[in-house]
Amino acid sequence: MRDTLLIALYAFAGAAVTGLLGAVALRLLRRRSLTASLTVVAAVGVVAMLAGTLAVAWAMFLSSHDLSVVTTVVAMAAVVSLATALVLGRWVVARSRELALAARSFGERGDFAAPVVPATAELAEVSRELAATSAKLAESRERERALETSRRELVAWISHDLRTPLAGLRAMSEALEDGVAADPDRYLRQIRTEVERLNDMVGDLFELSRIHAGTLALSPSRMSLYDLVGDALAGADPLAREHGVRLVGDRVEPVPVEVDGKEMSRVLGNLLVNAIRRTPPDGTVAVTAERGRDGVVLAVTDGCGGIPEEDLPRVFDTGWRGTHARTPPAGAGLGLAIVRGIVEAHQGRATVHNIPGGCRFEVVLPTAAS
């Protein structure tokens, strides 16, 4: 037992010295190729065995013949181990370089194509993560392009919509100033109308800028959708009468919700105004509010005749307007974008789909806690 313990101690001492030297070598080579590190690891294993064997042989006074046999065996093992480490290291380095080239093209062209040659599990995981990141960046670039297109359209339409009333205001003010206006009171009423329209447009732009900047401050309180819808219907009734449209709100449940009353009134107002303006005379705009599987569903249906399927995904985009809506007084195409921004700020969602004879805008809000 004592001899076995001594052999273990001598073998451990020889191997420990080799291990420490190997650790120092690995630290010095930590910035070098993986091939060098693998070679050091293989050499440490073989040399540690040799050092332990020599230490035991010296302590046990083995014969020189036995020692040469052991040394020869260890040397052959060292040759095979080092050759294997070099082959493995070169293969891993080659796969790493292929992945680096693929990642470099990812940075230059914006897309990532994973190397076709199989790699280690770790390199394969890195390749998958890069591919997933590439897909996310592609989606982000697509969204950015869509937003940039939307911004350009918004600037163009806002410029057009501002130029028209401003030109009218300038002409009317000059007519009043020169005293050539046949009916000054009518001119003043028209000026007031145009100023109110410009004020509404600026208000919409300010609201949208707060939504996009994430500075829309909400003051939620518990209220009934019945009251919220009733107030919105009362506010939209004059416009509906002017357009000869019938407003219906006979399926409104008194469902409690936690919302900012002012902002949600704006949501309902924008949806109703949009529906009334798109519905022909003698048409109907209906409002419903009821519990759904995902929360409280508030819906506004109109008789606009439907929206082309290719345009449905863009309805809530900033500045988007249907072809038939690109003339005043349709506005600058901000109303529905504001609707989506306010609803999403309430952790809800806004959607639209076609129904026979028109379309249905739905707002889904979280149910108020009991």
Side-chain angles (χ1 to χ4, degrees):
M1 183 66 182
R2 183 173 179 276
D3 291 342
T4 303
L5 182 60
L6 286 175
I7 290 173
L9 289 175
Y10 279 113
F12 176 78
V17 172
T18 304
L20 290 175
L21 293 175
V24 173
L26 286 175
R27 181 174 178 81
L28 294 175
L29 298 174
R30 64 184 183 276
R31 299 183 184 276
R32 302 293 296 275
S33 171
L34 182 63
T35 303
S37 298
L38 288 175
T39 303
V40 171
V41 171
V44 166
V46 176
V47 174
M49 183 174 62
L50 178 60
T53 301
L54 292 176
V56 171
W58 175 79
M60 303 300 293
F61 301 103
L62 293 180
S63 65
S64 58
H65 177 268
D66 293 340
L67 184 60
S68 63
V69 171
V70 171
T71 304
T72 302
V73 171
V74 173
M76 294 301 101
V79 171
V80 174
S81 298
L82 292 175
T84 303
L86 288 172
V87 171
L88 176 61
R90 290 175 65 85
W91 182 82
V92 173
V93 168
R95 302 292 81 76
S96 300
R97 287 175 179 170
E98 291 175 358
L99 185 59
L101 289 175
R104 186 179 304 165
S105 66
F106 174 31
E108 293 173 352
R109 297 193 301 268
D111 55 350
F112 176 78
V116 295
V117 181
T120 64
E122 292 78 11
L123 292 178
E125 179 65 22
V126 172
S127 180
R128 285 192 294 270
E129 289 297 328
L130 286 173
T133 302
S134 175
K136 292 178 181 177
L137 287 176
E139 294 176 0
S140 177
R141 287 193 298 271
E142 187 62 31
R143 287 195 300 269
E144 185 178 353
R145 281 193 290 267
L147 286 173
E148 184 60 30
T149 301
S150 177
R151 291 190 188 100
R152 286 197 297 267
E153 292 176 349
L154 175 62
V155 171
W157 293 338
I158 285 291
S159 300
H160 174 269
D161 289 345
L162 287 176
R163 187 182 297 114
T164 301
L166 288 174
L169 288 172
R170 179 177 181 179
M172 287 184 287
S173 63
E174 289 177 351
L176 290 172
E177 184 180 4
D178 296 339
V180 297
D183 187 356
D185 291 337
R186 184 175 68 84
Y187 274 53
L188 291 174
R189 287 193 300 270
Q190 185 63 27
I191 288 175
R192 180 180 179 87
T193 300
E194 295 296 337
V195 169
E196 288 177 352
R197 181 170 157 233
L198 289 174
N199 182 68
D200 292 341
M201 193 180 301
V202 172
D204 286 346
L205 285 171
F206 178 69
E207 182 80 358
L208 196 62
S209 68
R210 290 199 302 160
I211 291 172
H212 286 172
T215 58
L216 181 63
L218 299 178
S219 301
S221 60
R222 190 182 183 89
M223 62 181 61
S224 172
L225 269 185
Y226 186 86
D227 298 332
L228 198 63
V229 172
D231 292 342
L233 289 174
D237 186 65
L239 181 64
R241 291 179 182 274
E242 179 184 343
H243 285 74
V245 174
R246 188 166 64 100
L247 286 180
V248 177
D250 55 359
R251 287 178 50 199
V252 180
E253 299 178 4
V255 184
V257 288
E258 290 277 350
V259 296
D260 186 308
K262 179 182 176 183
E263 297 298 339
M264 284 308 301
S265 294
R266 182 161 195 161
V267 167
L268 274 173
N270 285 358
L271 290 176
L272 287 172
V273 169
N274 181 73
I276 291 170
R277 286 177 172 169
R278 303 294 172 262
T279 301
D282 298 328
T284 300
V285 172
V287 182
T288 62
E290 53 195 356
R291 293 182 185 273
R293 290 184 304 174
D294 300 330
V296 179
V297 181
L298 177 64
V300 176
T301 59
D302 58 37
C304 67
I307 300 173
E309 291 295 329
E310 63 273 14
D311 288 342
L312 282 176
R314 297 197 59 199
V315 167
F316 292 98
D317 287 354
T318 302
W320 183 87
R321 294 181 295 185
T323 303
H324 67 285
R326 296 186 180 183
T327 55
L334 305 180
L336 293 179
I338 291 173
V339 166
R340 181 174 63 178
I342 294 175
V343 171
E344 291 180 351
H346 283 85
Q347 307 304 315
R349 68 178 186 274
T351 58
V352 60
H353 59 271
N354 288 323
I355 61 173
C359 53
R360 176 183 173 93
F361 288 84
E362 288 187 355
V363 171
V364 180
L365 298 171
T367 307
S370 303

